[in-house]
Amino acid sequence: MMTTNPRSDHAKTHTSDEHADDRDDQKLSLVGSVALGTGVMIGAGIFALVGQVAELAGGWVPWAFFAGAVVVGFSSYSYIRYSAANPSSGGIAMLLKAAYGPWVIAGSFSLFMYVSMILAESLLGRTFGTYLLRPFGLQDSALLVGILAVLAIAAAAIVNLVGNKWVERSATITASLKIIGIAVLAIGGLLASGMSSLGRLFTASEQTPPESGWLGFLAGVTLCILAYKGFTTITNQGADLRRPERNIGRSIMIAISLCTALYLLITVAVTGSLTIPEIVEARDYALAEAAEPAFGSLGVTLTVIIAVIATLSGLIASLFSVSKLYDMLHDMGQAPGLPHHTTHQSLLITAGLAIVMAAFFDLSQIASLGAILYLAMDIAIHWGIIRHLRHDIEVKPWVPVVAILLDLAVLVPFLILKAQSDPLTLAITAVTAVILITVQWVLMRRRSPHGTPEHS
């Protein structure tokens, strides 16, 4: 008869607990997760989109950003419920696969997500070029902006090739710099324009209404969503986050709330410093333009420095995460690879596509294309949750239903106004969607009879 040694068993248990604690210490904390999430969210969106939103929403810009937060808040419920129940590094791609199976629908919307992230990178690149040229008065040069955007994306790709550890470790530092910098600009702008500008939020008579009324306001909200959609990257942290079943939801809600507060402060400051026509005229660099009346040339320089940090750090982090996403999609058979087994092919493909888009599309086209693809994918997420996963992850069906209705409430007016003012962008979006669905269909046709991709 074998006997056990209580001390030995206790020692083994103690050692096992120590190893578990060590592994847990190496994982992301809630603070680290929020820092990474806000680092992705606070980027080109707030720097490049304020003027574009003003063009649609008029003086209701702050309310448009607040409405965007409400839409995203409802949307986040589906992502939180699935990611908390199934924490992994797969995030949205795994959610789509679970909802629709490993076939054309899931693959197509996964590619929609991937392309919308590439568009966000090209938006970062062009915003970098626009703000860097602002002190020299060359911000309206499409050629120079395009060249600087390409150089910024290429530089970020090189950093990813040689310094992945630096990419991960620098995320918290750059996120803090961006948050502090934007907060300083916002608070300083409010003080310069007078705290009464906060009161103007609730005084309709002092606001310039949108030219297209509520249709324009809702269309403007569509673009505001781009400034928040980075929260979806938090769902990819499941495998690396402490207590993900609890902290994923907390991280997403804290990140959205923090960004909402910052965006409201900065948009109130901008609308307090500039008239709506002035904001629209400087739509690609409105924050720098608004800093000049309040702080003079020093304010412009500070805004440019913050924008450069935000865009470059965002590019480096985005290329890092989106390349990993492409690797996963390729392994799942949902994305094509290069003809030969090239090292770092996911990074090369991602950076190459971002460079092409940054070189040939302007900020308005990039933002519009990205918003439409993202919202189409978001609607597919909620529908998949309602139809196929609501019992598995115990959701309250009314929340994703409301999320779908809100998505449609902002997307349809945006499509209507774009059809009137910029039909070319809608045509490009439709062609892009058809290409992505066709690519996915071809990849599915090449699958083996067992449902796995055929590899040479």
Side-chain angles (χ1 to χ4, degrees):
M1 180 176 178
M2 295 182 64
T3 59
T4 59
N5 185 338
R7 292 184 179 180
S8 176
D9 288 344
H10 176 73
K12 289 178 181 177
T13 303
H14 183 67
T15 303
S16 175
D17 289 342
E18 283 184 342
H19 286 313
D21 290 340
D22 289 342
R23 288 193 298 270
D24 196 54
D25 288 341
Q26 294 173 1
K27 290 191 173 184
L28 274 173
S29 65
L30 177 61
V31 173
S33 174
V34 172
L36 286 170
T38 53
V40 174
M41 292 168 73
I42 301 174
I46 190 62
F47 286 98
L49 294 178
V50 173
Q52 314 233 4
V53 174
E55 197 170 14
L56 294 167
W60 301 355
V61 173
W63 286 113
F65 274 89
F66 180 77
V70 172
V71 175
V72 170
F74 276 96
S75 288
S76 67
Y77 176 79
S78 295
Y79 299 86
I80 290 171
R81 294 301 301 165
Y82 179 82
S83 298
N86 303 278
S88 72
S89 59
I92 299 171
M94 295 303 294
L95 195 166
L96 286 165
K97 183 179 178 182
Y100 296 103
W103 306 112
V104 174
I105 295 177
S108 296
F109 284 111
S110 292
L111 289 181
F112 277 26
M113 172 185 63
Y114 173 71
V115 172
S116 73
M117 289 179 172
I118 291 177
L119 286 161
E121 292 169 356
S122 60
L123 189 68
L124 284 165
R126 290 196 71 92
T127 303
F128 166 83
T130 301
Y131 273 81
L132 192 60
L133 292 169
R134 171 62 181 79
F136 309 102
L138 299 172
Q139 67 276 0
D140 294 320
S141 172
L143 177 61
L144 291 177
V145 169
I147 291 173
L148 286 175
V150 169
L151 291 175
I153 296 169
I158 292 171
V159 171
N160 273 274
L161 286 173
V162 299
N164 284 350
K165 289 184 179 179
W166 183 87
V167 172
E168 294 177 290
R169 291 173 182 172
S170 66
T172 302
I173 298 173
T174 54
S176 301
L177 288 174
K178 286 187 281 188
I179 292 171
I180 293 171
I182 291 177
V184 168
L185 285 175
I187 294 171
L190 285 174
L191 292 174
S193 61
M195 294 302 291
S196 60
S197 55
L198 282 172
R200 287 199 295 270
L201 271 175
F202 306 97
T203 310
S205 61
E206 295 187 21
Q207 296 175 0
T208 304
E211 288 187 9
S212 302
W214 281 102
L215 203 66
F217 174 77
L218 292 173
V221 175
T222 302
L223 293 180
C224 293
I225 290 171
L226 289 177
Y228 295 99
K229 78 179 186 71
F231 85 87
T232 57
T233 59
I234 297 175
T235 64
N236 298 331
Q237 299 172 5
D240 305 308
L241 182 63
R242 296 176 197 167
R243 300 186 67 180
E245 68 283 350
R246 182 187 70 172
N247 284 335
I248 284 180
R250 290 183 176 185
S251 179
I252 288 175
M253 296 315 297
I254 292 171
I256 292 174
S257 300
L258 181 59
C259 288
T260 302
L262 284 174
Y263 293 165
L264 286 177
L265 285 174
I266 199 70
T267 51
V268 169
V270 170
T271 53
S273 298
L274 301 174
T275 64
I276 295 304
E278 288 172 337
I279 296 173
V280 172
E281 186 179 355
R283 63 179 188 171
D284 293 345
Y285 48 92
L287 264 63
E289 200 72 10
E292 191 164 19
F295 305 105
S297 60
L298 179 63
V300 175
T301 301
L302 178 62
T303 307
V304 168
I305 291 172
I306 297 170
V308 167
I309 292 173
T311 51
L312 282 180
S313 62
L315 270 174
I316 293 168
S318 181
L319 282 171
F320 181 73
S321 60
V322 176
S323 297
K324 283 188 172 182
L325 169 64
Y326 192 88
D327 280 330
M328 185 187 66
L329 293 176
H330 181 54
D331 291 341
M332 292 167 62
Q334 294 180 340
L338 296 175
H340 304 289
H341 294 287
T342 307
T343 307
H344 302 296
Q345 70 166 345
S346 60
L347 178 61
L348 295 176
I349 291 172
T350 302
L353 290 173
I355 284 173
V356 170
M357 292 177 183
F360 293 103
F361 295 151
D362 61 27
L363 283 174
S364 177
Q365 291 172 324
I366 292 169
S368 299
L369 183 55
I372 294 169
L373 290 179
Y374 171 76
L375 284 173
M377 181 215 69
D378 195 57
I379 292 169
I381 289 281
H382 303 310
W383 182 248
I385 292 285
I386 294 168
R387 288 280 295 175
H388 304 293
L389 298 178
R390 67 181 186 274
H391 299 302
D392 296 339
I393 59 176
E394 299 179 355
V395 302
K396 298 176 181 177
W398 70 268
V399 183
V401 167
V402 171
I404 290 175
L405 293 175
L406 290 175
D407 281 348
L408 290 173
V410 298
L411 180 59
V412 171
F414 184 75
L415 294 175
I416 292 172
L417 291 183
K418 276 293 171 182
Q420 297 171 355
S421 64
D422 189 12
L424 177 61
T425 296
L426 288 188
I428 293 172
T429 306
V431 171
T432 301
V434 170
I435 291 173
L436 294 177
I437 294 170
T438 302
V439 167
Q440 194 57 217
W441 182 80
V442 171
L443 290 172
M444 294 303 108
R445 293 276 294 177
R446 292 174 56 191
R447 280 179 178 269
S448 70
H450 301 291
T452 55
E454 294 182 357
H455 294 288
S456 57

